[in-house]
Amino acid sequence: MCLAGVALVALGVLCIINPGATLLSLAWVIALLFFLGGCAQMGFWAKARVVMPNSGLVFFSALLQILLGIMMLCIPEPTMIALPFIFAFWLLYEGINMAFVSLDIKTVGFRKWWILCCIGVIAAAFGVCCLVYPNVSAETIAWLVGLGIIIDGVGYWVRVALINKVEKRLAGLANRFHKAVKEIEDVNWEEV
């Protein structure tokens, strides 16, 4: 687990240092998800077509997903280029949505509605920034992926530390148990 933690932290640092490779890797993961999702849907169609004779759209959707997945696996660059814009639009939408939700929360009577509104405005502004400067969006994605992987690696180290702590406690309990058993064995039961 310690070695896995070290490897994950190193991978996270590499993701942050090399955002282009991170986006390319994400593009491949998305392509693979499309392909596997299409295969799963095709399997569903194969079983369900007997019960659902009008399931042609399921077949067509599965076929499109499989073909799109294969195309994205063979040519991942368009997906890689689109990711920063997808991220920017998502941030913009979520920020605007959060700001409007905060106004609804205000009408209900919550006094700290403005905190959610400020977070929404900041997120929307960052989304606009990412649209204007897609390289910022690409680097942000790489940072988020890298930090996520680093946090996972640190989590492995924490698990190792906790396991060691539990092992020490169990060893202490086992020693006390052995001492208690030894004391019971040492008692001369004939005198008692």
Side-chain angles (χ1 to χ4, degrees):
M1 288 180 93
C2 282
L3 292 176
V6 169
L8 286 169
V9 169
L11 178 63
V13 170
L14 284 175
C15 287
I16 292 170
I17 291 172
N18 195 349
T22 302
L23 288 178
L24 183 61
S25 298
L26 284 174
W28 281 333
V29 167
I30 291 169
L32 191 59
L33 289 174
F34 265 97
F35 178 75
L36 294 176
C39 289
Q41 196 169 5
M42 187 66 78
F44 169 76
W45 171 80
K47 296 240 182 217
R49 75 175 190 268
V50 176
V51 186
M52 300 169 46
N54 297 321
S55 61
L57 284 176
V58 174
F59 172 79
F60 185 67
S61 172
L63 184 62
L64 282 178
Q65 282 184 43
I66 290 170
L67 292 175
L68 184 61
I70 290 171
M71 183 183 77
M72 289 167 63
L73 282 169
C74 294
I75 311 167
E77 289 81 12
T79 306
M80 186 177 112
I81 293 168
L83 282 175
F85 294 102
I86 293 168
F87 178 70
F89 279 116
W90 173 75
L91 262 179
L92 182 62
Y93 170 78
E94 284 297 320
I96 292 170
N97 185 40
M98 204 177 299
F100 279 107
V101 166
S102 73
L103 297 176
D104 290 339
I105 290 174
K106 178 185 178 188
T107 60
V108 175
F110 287 100
R111 288 181 290 181
K112 303 229 177 178
W113 63 273
W114 57 271
I115 295 172
L116 187 62
C117 186
C118 288
I119 293 170
V121 168
I122 291 168
F126 192 67
V128 170
C129 178
C130 288
L131 279 174
V132 174
Y133 302 103
N135 59 329
V136 170
S137 181
E139 288 181 23
T140 302
I141 293 170
W143 270 89
L144 290 173
V145 169
L147 288 175
I149 293 171
I150 288 170
I151 289 168
D152 192 37
V154 171
Y156 272 82
W157 296 338
V158 170
R159 284 184 230 164
V160 168
L162 292 174
I163 288 170
N164 288 337
K165 192 172 187 176
V166 168
E167 283 179 345
K168 286 178 185 176
R169 282 186 183 170
L170 289 175
L173 287 173
N175 286 338
R176 281 191 249 149
F177 178 74
H178 289 304
K179 285 180 184 176
V181 169
K182 183 74 171 154
E183 288 175 7
I184 292 172
E185 288 174 350
D186 291 342
V187 172
N188 189 353
W189 290 102
E190 292 175 4
E191 293 178 3
V192 174

